[in-house]
Amino acid sequence: MGRMHSRGKGMAASALPYKRKSPSWLKVDTPQITDMIVKLAKKGQYPSQIGVLLRDQHGVAQVKNVTGSKILRILKKNGLAPALPEDLYHLVKKAVSVRKHLETNRKDKDAKFRLILIESRIHRLARYYRRTKQLPANWKYESSTASTLVS
């Protein structure tokens, strides 16, 4: 699938292992990983950051292969899932920072154009999340209230 607002196709990716079970050399078991995920989420880490920390510091390549469920599902089960989905949160955060930049640099036409692209991605993603019931049906992105969403 191609990019939305640029030329690249984005096909490069790392290959997942063929075996879908925990590697034999891994010394960490399911309850320990679940506890680590919950502890990191309470510190304010997002699911992708938790996955990177588990991979780099504890050698857990894929949490799903070890625990049987993904990081976000573990967080939902423990009531720690973020209110906004992570990708939407980061897009809103980017739009807020570009809007703040435009307040001081009004003549920056490229930033204004990029803000339009970012906000169109936000609207498209929000439409998907409303359709899949991950966001309430009346949720709407408004640039005036966006800074309160990411603070």
Side-chain angles (χ1 to χ4, degrees), residues 72-121:
L72 193 61
R73 293 204 177 140
I74 292 171
L75 293 178
K76 281 181 183 174
K77 196 184 332 177
N78 290 298
L80 294 168
L84 270 181
E86 188 175 1
D87 49 357
L88 184 62
Y89 171 82
H90 287 296
L91 278 175
V92 170
K93 191 174 176 182
K94 186 184 282 189
V96 167
S97 69
V98 171
R99 200 169 282 282
K100 184 179 176 190
H101 166 78
L102 279 172
E103 286 175 7
T104 56
N105 305 291
R106 294 202 179 279
K107 288 200 162 198
D108 192 350
K109 301 288 186 200
D110 187 57
K112 189 183 259 187
F113 175 70
R114 299 294 164 201
L115 178 66
I116 293 168
L117 297 183
I118 292 167
E119 288 184 341
S120 69
R121 269 181 273 169

Side-chain angles (χ1 to χ4, degrees), residues 3 7 21 28 31 34 36 44 52-56 61 73 81-82 86 92 94 96 98 105 107 110 116 124 145 148:
R3 300 252 176 246
R7 293 196 198 335
K21 60 182 181 183
V28 191
T34 306
M36 281 190 267
V52 169
L53 280 169
L54 288 175
R55 183 196 66 202
D56 294 345
R73 293 204 177 140
E86 188 175 1
V92 170
K94 186 184 282 189
V96 167
V98 171
N105 305 291
K107 288 200 162 198
D110 187 57
I116 293 168
R124 180 182 285 197
T145 60
T148 59

Side-chain angles (χ1 to χ4, degrees), residues 22 26-36 60 63 66-67:
S22 176
L26 188 66
K27 302 292 182 235
V28 191
D29 58 342
T30 303
Q32 288 176 320
I33 290 178
T34 306
D35 291 340
M36 281 190 267
V60 180
V63 172
V66 180
T67 62

